[in-house]
Amino acid sequence: MKRLLLVIVTLLFSGLVIFSCALQDETGWPEIKKENKPWSYWWWMGSAVDKENLTHLLTEYHKAGLGGVHIIPIYGVKGYENSFIDYLSPKWMDMLAHTTLEADRLGMGVDMTPGTGWPYGGPHITPDYAARHVIFKHYEILDGEQLTEPIVCNDEKYGEKAPLITVMAFDDKGQIKDVSEYVNSNGVLNWTTDGKWDIYAVFAGWTNQNVKRAAPGAKGKVMNYFSKEALSFYLSAFDSAFANYKGGKIRAFYNDSYEVYNADWSVDFFKSFEKLRGYDLKLHLPALLGHGDIDKVKRLKSDYRETISDLLLKEFSEPWVQWCHNKKALTRNQAHGSPGNLLDLYAAADIPETEIFGPSRFNIPGLRVDDDFPKDQNVPDPLMLKFASSAAHVTGKNLVSSETCTWLGEHFKVALSQAKPEIDQLWISGINHIFFHGIAYSPQQVQWPGWLFYASTNFGPSNSFWNDIGYFNDYITRSQSFLQSGKPDNDILLYFPVHDIWHDSEGLLYQMTVHKISKWLWNRPFYNMAKELWNNGYCFDYISDRQIKNLSVYNGNLLSAGLQYKTILVPECEYMPLETLDKLEKLAEKGARIVFQKNLPLDVPGFADLANKRVTFNSLKKQLQNVGENVVIQDSVREVLSTVSKESFKDLGLDFIRRSHKNGHVYFITNLTPNAVNSWCPLGVQAKSAIMFDSRLMQKGKAAFKKNDKAQCSVYLQLQPGESCILKTFQDDIQEPDWMYTQPSESAVTLTGEWSIEFIQGGPQLPKADTLGRLVCWTKLADSTAHSYAGSAKYTLYFDKPAMQPEAWAIDLGQVFESARITLNDEFAGALWSFPYNMTLNTPLKESTNKLEITVTNLSANRIADLDRQGVNWKKFYDINYVNIKYKPFDASQWEPFPSGLIGPVKLVPLKKLQFNDQIPIQHAD
């Protein structure tokens, strides 16, 4: 009996231990994986790499908190030609093998572009496999005459002697004749007829685009992205190179943003078009070129664009993904810029990837924006970024990446404080896998500033902010450990009516870029509805026609790749494919809620079998209207979203994203406004408790929590401008120390006295130590070497504890250029590298003298300006060399000294704990 009792007690105790550990796992910081950490683009300049430097650099990246690198070989550096390694040569593959094995040893990952620079192409791409550009030529034949001008292609830009595909004749009576057989080898048309005829000749020319920024051994023509045969031929070079590869695993292969210029054709395009669209495009060439009835013109162009989209997906994206999978690798794809449906192209990859280019100009007090950056260009838009994350969510992909902080400001002028809010915005847009853009491989022996890429924020060791980048990377890592866990938790599917975009009578090719979205996305009903949902706190994903086909219904919810959505919203649109409307009707019949803005779609897209499709289309519209309450047509969409909960963060001016975990939800919340938030905030989900996590300062605690008489949950939030937090809710009342909410108890105390300053790490040389009666920019010090210094300096002040006795103290650094590490009484207190530059002190003040040390790191701007004033030739790169933010030759010689160091005033802020009661009002943003 005693043994039985012992067994029972042991089992019970084991169960309690397991339960306790599981609870601890849920309430603690997640376990860190390499995907949680930021990764970086890694440009191999001239592929002039060696094993010693590869190991050294990877080790440095690992110490700084990077989780992986993405190898992109590009052009080289002048003077190092003897070190260049031809791309895919045995030596190059040996360097790749060494890199992957060293990365494995360090617990890092390696991605790579199967190519150099961008787009795909190279020396082995012959004209048969090169990117094509269609050339149309128009001739006229009068009654009884023959065409005297030869039908030949003499277009110098797109290739002389381009092959003739077809010659079609059209008269004003509606007659159409294929006269290709009457054209001889010299281009002479031996054909005579009555009446006036318009002759249209179609040539399959070439774009003649070369690979941009190609590495040694990889220069050549860009491949044809609309041909599976061209892709297979292109990738055969990698099949050969990898045949005897002995290195570590390539985690993912990468395809860059679509920058294949003027590529709009393939030799067999007419055949592909007829197979996909159901009619012969050759019979309608005048309308394709914009002549005749405007409705027909739009429909022909829409069908052309849809065919291009299908070819890019079926002839390139999907077979490319299969090739990568055959290599046991994942895929990362930047679909933007493509002449296709971005949602489908993003979704084809394992890791859809977007990008941000310029600054967002957040109105955070003190946040600097480079005045040289054009104000009307390239502002990141979360509603554009959501194309990548939506495609991932609705197709069950967990990771969504971004090329991050490209051209955030002028070279050498970008601070970590400018990067943080941009990354916060990426996260609220559904991105959860940050790739810095980026780091250039630079050997140890190369003098500062080393080898650099022309269009990036330098996240490498030569940037002075490398001294503090580990804290920044820790912030990203801790945040992404939450944002990669659980599942996306959005309520609404917003239909993307791509055919409304494709039915444009202007031009032929239609590319959907990430930067110039005003040309194709803004001011459309789809965008306006997305903006309304975004601004009012609704959680939503976009969905395409192709993705709607895969939806099912369970208990009235829409199911897609394991996620549940409560409704589909269809913005006001003119065109919807018959198959989509039919699927929506079937979903509604099964209990799904479908909401149409203002009216049902007006018409079917395209030209084929139009009359019959319209009959079926109108019949389906009648069926939809008779389904019942599951189909709603309403001008104001918000009025019919009663079944969909909204979040109230937006009412406070906050931005957020929500995910689910097995016992509740996870929110990432950020304050990108000029207003502090100190308020109760209702939640759109049910919970019994919540934990607040500060990923920047690595603090956590149980959030203040309450319910109203309608059982709606609220948490208390305190977020200063620029601050962010993770909120994790639970269905249980978890036990955790309380989050410390504070407010000032008395006026702040400015710390005065004699500051000592010691320059400790940087260059070109260390200025002399000095003492300061008051804090000033170090470029104003008497020692002129400080004026060109880039690096870190340690400020030290001894002070007496103020007479007051608050419950806690905060330190406010005032103005900091640019990042700071704080030590109080020889104990590390924390690092401040972004707004706000203040924090609660966990280290108690001594009753007697206290020692405060603040180590501040500035930008590299003053040092590079000094180099340029001296005429030092550090800009010695091939190809584009080194350009400024306006793509002009970079020259910093005329720069004024950039503010550097600790300006202050440094203050101690006495705090008291905030006492909660139901009378604390919910504040609203101005």
Side-chain angles (χ1 to χ4, degrees):
M1 178 62 73
K2 290 182 179 180
R3 182 176 298 175
L4 178 60
L5 288 173
L6 180 61
V7 170
I8 293 173
V9 169
T10 302
L11 290 173
L12 288 172
F13 179 76
S14 299
L16 289 172
V17 169
I18 293 170
F19 176 77
S20 176
C21 291
L23 188 60
Q24 180 61 38
D25 289 343
E26 285 199 39
T27 60
W29 296 91
E31 180 183 355
I32 298 303
K33 304 174 183 177
K34 62 176 177 282
E35 282 80 13
N36 301 148
K37 300 178 180 181
W39 291 37
S40 182
Y41 286 66
W42 196 21
W43 296 286
W44 284 10
M45 305 195 76
S47 294
V49 300
D50 62 71
K51 293 182 179 180
E52 180 183 353
N53 276 295
L54 287 169
T55 295
H56 168 75
L57 290 172
L58 286 170
T59 302
E60 290 300 300
Y61 303 158
H62 171 65
K63 289 178 181 177
L66 291 182
V69 290
H70 166 194
I71 299 170
I72 310 177
I74 57 168
Y75 53 85
V77 183
K78 296 175 183 177
Y80 290 86
E81 291 82 359
N82 290 338
S83 299
F84 291 176
I85 303 173
D86 279 352
Y87 185 56
L88 296 186
S89 65
K91 186 175 181 180
W92 194 95
M93 295 302 295
D94 185 42
M95 294 298 118
L96 176 65
H98 178 79
T99 300
T100 53
L101 290 171
E102 286 295 273
D104 283 348
R105 178 180 64 83
L106 294 167
M108 299 177 70
V110 176
D111 289 359
M112 68 172 284
T113 300
T116 77
W118 62 92
Y120 289 172
H124 64 299
I125 295 299
T126 62
D128 286 343
Y129 299 113
R132 292 281 184 171
H133 175 70
V134 65
I135 300 167
F136 298 99
K137 293 184 72 69
H138 175 235
Y139 310 87
E140 289 185 355
I141 299 180
L142 300 179
D143 188 6
E145 295 184 358
Q146 276 194 327
L147 185 64
T148 57
E149 181 182 353
I151 299 176
V152 294
C153 181
N154 52 11
D155 192 310
E156 295 182 2
K157 184 176 181 181
Y158 296 114
E160 295 183 15
K161 299 181 180 179
L164 178 65
I165 302 301
T166 191
V167 181
M168 301 296 296
F170 301 82
D171 75 353
D172 54 6
K173 299 177 183 177
Q175 296 185 86
I176 304 171
K177 185 172 179 62
D178 187 337
V179 296
S180 305
E181 62 182 297
Y182 302 110
V183 182
N184 68 21
S185 60
N186 296 317
V188 176
L189 176 62
N190 296 306
W191 181 65
T192 305
T193 188
D194 296 332
K196 178 180 176 296
W197 289 77
D198 287 292
I199 307 297
Y200 290 89
V202 182
F203 299 87
W206 294 273
T207 67
N208 285 323
Q209 181 185 353
N210 291 311
V211 176
K212 293 179 67 176
R213 322 305 180 206
K219 294 181 179 179
K221 297 300 180 187
V222 171
M223 61 158 278
N224 184 355
Y225 276 65
F226 307 127
S227 165
K228 189 184 301 183
E229 290 73 25
L231 174 67
S232 178
F233 181 78
Y234 172 74
L235 293 174
S236 64
F238 296 88
D239 291 329
S240 299
F242 275 90
N244 297 310
Y245 174 69
K246 303 299 183 184
K249 179 180 175 59
I250 303 296
R251 185 199 66 152
F253 288 107
Y254 169 80
N255 179 48
D256 210 335
S257 57
Y258 190 91
E259 297 182 39
V260 186
Y261 305 127
N262 301 305
D264 53 17
W265 207 256
S266 60
V267 173
D268 57 354
F269 184 82
F270 283 123
K271 181 179 178 181
S272 299
F273 184 96
E274 186 166 5
K275 180 180 179 181
L276 291 166
R277 303 281 83 83
Y279 65 97
D280 189 349
L281 182 60
K282 296 192 299 293
L283 303 179
H284 306 278
L285 289 178
L288 180 65
L289 297 176
H291 306 304
D293 177 70
I294 189 65
D295 183 63
K296 182 178 179 181
V297 168
K298 290 181 178 180
R299 292 180 180 279
L300 265 292
K301 292 195 174 189
S302 177
D303 281 344
Y304 163 81
R305 291 159 183 157
E306 185 171 6
T307 301
I308 285 288
S309 180
D310 289 344
L311 291 177
L312 187 55
L313 178 66
K314 297 297 182 180
E315 298 288 310
F316 174 78
S317 296
E318 291 181 351
W320 171 71
V321 169
Q322 186 58 55
W323 179 86
C324 296
H325 287 177
N326 290 342
K327 293 284 189 288
K328 309 300 181 184
L330 300 174
T331 56
R332 283 174 41 228
N333 181 40
Q334 291 191 350
H336 45 271
S338 299
N341 190 328
L342 299 189
L343 290 175
D344 296 334
L345 295 169
Y346 276 129
D350 300 297
I351 308 173
E353 177 164 302
T354 187
E355 68 174 275
I356 56 172
F357 196 80
S360 297
R361 303 182 183 276
F362 300 109
N363 194 17
I364 297 171
L367 181 65
R368 189 174 59 255
V369 176
D370 198 321
D371 291 335
D372 291 333
F373 201 95
K375 291 183 172 57
D376 59 344
Q377 293 183 15
N378 304 318
V379 176
D381 187 329
L383 298 180
M384 175 64 212
L385 302 175
K386 280 181 72 68
F387 276 90
S389 61
S390 294
H393 295 167
V394 300
T395 57
K397 317 292 174 53
N398 185 48
L399 296 178
V400 192
S401 56
S402 175
E403 171 188 324
T404 304
C405 295
T406 306
W407 275 137
L408 189 52
E410 186 56 272
H411 294 296
F412 306 97
K413 287 186 176 182
V414 175
L416 298 176
S417 61
Q418 293 168 275
K420 178 189 180 292
E422 300 292 347
I423 290 173
D424 285 0
Q425 181 171 253
L426 283 169
W427 287 335
I428 62 173
S429 306
I431 312 307
N432 61 4
H433 191 19
I434 295 298
F435 275 79
F436 294 143
H437 192 276
I439 302 173
Y441 170 100
S442 187
Q444 300 174 72
Q445 63 270 25
V446 176
Q447 291 187 337
W448 192 88
W451 296 355
L452 297 170
F453 186 62
Y454 76 96
S456 71
T457 298
N458 175 22
F459 283 93
S462 64
N463 195 324
S464 56
F465 70 39
W466 187 260
N467 293 346
D468 292 326
I469 199 171
Y471 302 110
F472 177 55
N473 290 342
D474 286 346
Y475 167 73
I476 295 172
T477 300
R478 288 191 281 263
S479 297
Q480 290 191 157
S481 69
F482 286 100
L483 292 169
Q484 292 175 14
S485 66
K487 293 182 178 181
D489 188 48
N490 295 322
D491 298 315
I492 298 169
L493 289 168
L494 179 60
Y495 171 65
F496 176 50
V498 69
H499 290 88
D500 278 16
I501 298 174
W502 284 339
H503 275 72
D504 188 329
S505 62
E506 298 298 320
L508 191 59
L509 200 67
Y510 205 111
Q511 294 180 244
M512 299 182 193
T513 63
V514 71
H515 301 308
K516 298 176 181 178
I517 59 176
S518 60
K519 294 184 177 181
W520 67 271
L521 182 59
W522 286 356
N523 299 319
R524 294 182 180 273
F526 166 80
Y527 181 84
N528 294 337
M529 179 179 283
K531 194 170 185 179
E532 183 177 2
L533 294 173
W534 179 270
N535 290 339
N536 286 281
Y538 291 101
C539 303
F540 61 99
D541 284 321
Y542 306 150
I543 192 166
S544 71
D545 296 288
R546 183 176 267 106
Q547 291 159 1
I548 283 177
K549 293 178 183 178
N550 297 320
L551 293 177
S552 58
V553 181
Y554 178 75
N555 283 344
N557 289 330
L558 293 144
L559 302 183
S560 182
L563 301 182
Q564 295 192 34
Y565 296 87
K566 295 180 179 177
T567 189
I568 294 180
L569 293 187
V570 179
E572 183 181 7
C573 63
E574 187 168 355
Y575 303 100
M576 178 180 282
L578 193 61
E579 298 81 5
T580 302
L581 192 67
D582 182 55
K583 180 68 174 184
L584 291 179
E585 193 275 335
K586 287 181 169 59
L587 292 172
E589 289 281 4
K590 293 178 180 178
R593 185 173 174 82
I594 317 294
V595 179
F596 293 88
Q597 182 187 26
K598 292 188 178 180
N599 48 252
L600 296 176
L602 302 180
D603 207 346
V604 291
F607 183 71
D609 198 21
L610 186 56
N612 288 329
K613 284 184 177 179
R614 278 174 167 164
V615 171
T616 306
F617 190 80
N618 290 328
S619 175
L620 281 171
K621 287 169 68 174
K622 290 180 181 178
Q623 290 177 233
L624 268 167
Q625 290 172 314
N626 293 327
V627 167
E629 61 182 12
N630 288 335
V631 175
V632 180
I633 304 172
Q634 182 65 259
D635 287 354
S636 175
V637 171
R638 272 191 292 167
E639 293 180 6
V640 296
L641 291 179
S642 57
T643 60
V644 179
S645 60
K646 56 168 286 187
E647 298 288 353
S648 298
F649 302 107
K650 281 288 188 177
D651 297 335
L652 302 173
L654 302 175
D655 285 295
F656 74 100
I657 192 166
R658 187 181 73 202
R659 295 177 69 87
S660 65
H661 65 92
K662 60 184 179 181
N663 194 26
H665 293 82
V666 169
Y667 294 88
F668 172 78
I669 309 163
T670 183
N671 186 359
L672 302 175
T673 76
N675 307 307
V677 170
N678 190 31
S679 171
W680 286 104
C681 182
L683 299 180
V685 299
Q686 289 297 309
K688 290 186 177 179
S689 60
I691 296 179
M692 199 93 69
F693 295 84
D694 182 341
S695 296
R696 188 175 69 134
L697 299 174
M698 202 175 179
Q699 298 172 350
K700 73 185 183 87
K702 189 174 181 179
F705 194 87
K706 69 175 185 178
K707 289 189 177 183
N708 62 17
D709 55 3
K710 296 181 180 179
Q712 184 177 37
C713 311
S714 293
V715 296
Y716 200 84
L717 296 176
Q718 285 186 319
L719 287 174
Q720 299 175 67
E723 275 193 314
S724 57
C725 70
I726 301 285
L727 182 71
K728 187 172 184 179
T729 71
F730 298 87
Q731 297 302 321
D732 307 310
D733 187 7
I734 53 95
Q735 300 303 308
E736 184 78 12
D738 289 341
W739 180 262
M740 187 174 178
Y741 297 92
T742 61
Q743 62 184 12
S745 58
E746 299 179 61
S747 298
V749 178
T750 300
L751 294 180
T752 58
E754 190 172 80
W755 291 85
S756 66
I757 179 172
E758 177 188 5
F759 295 88
I760 58 174
Q761 183 181 0
Q765 57 183 307
L766 297 180
K768 295 177 183 178
D770 204 345
T771 56
L772 308 172
R774 64 182 181 87
L775 294 170
V776 295
C777 177
W778 74 49
T779 62
K780 296 181 179 180
L781 297 178
D783 185 351
S784 61
T785 60
H787 305 176
S788 58
Y789 177 76
S792 301
K794 182 167 65 176
Y795 294 79
T796 304
L797 176 72
Y798 292 90
F799 67 94
D800 292 330
K801 180 182 177 182
M804 58 193 71
Q805 298 291 329
E807 295 180 61
W809 289 98
I811 188 168
D812 187 330
L813 300 186
Q815 283 191 297
V816 180
F817 297 97
E818 298 294 331
S819 54
R821 284 167 273 155
I822 303 168
T823 300
L824 179 61
N825 296 324
D826 297 322
E827 290 188 26
F828 180 69
L832 296 175
W833 44 267
S834 68
F835 295 95
Y837 283 90
N838 57 59
M839 60 181 290
T840 301
L841 291 171
N842 293 320
T843 303
L845 295 180
K846 293 181 179 179
E847 292 298 329
S848 56
T849 303
N850 291 271
K851 178 184 177 183
L852 176 64
E853 293 174 301
I854 303 173
T855 301
V856 176
T857 301
N858 72 334
L859 299 178
S860 300
N862 294 336
R863 185 175 181 182
I864 202 66
D866 181 63
L867 274 189
D868 277 357
R869 282 192 289 269
Q870 293 180 48
V872 175
N873 182 26
W874 61 272
K875 293 165 282 192
K876 47 190 177 183
F877 313 114
Y878 279 100
D879 203 302
I880 196 173
N881 199 352
Y882 205 70
V883 295
N884 66 18
I885 207 165
K886 297 180 180 178
Y887 280 72
K888 304 295 182 182
F890 180 90
D891 181 10
S893 62
Q894 301 303 310
W895 286 3
E896 294 293 327
F898 215 79
S900 300
L902 181 62
I903 312 300
V906 179
K907 298 180 180 180
L908 288 177
V909 183
L911 302 175
K912 64 179 180 180
K913 292 182 180 179
L914 187 63
Q915 301 299 316
F916 292 99
N917 60 68
D918 291 341
Q919 302 306 312
I920 298 176
I922 293 180
Q923 299 177 351
H924 294 272
D926 294 336

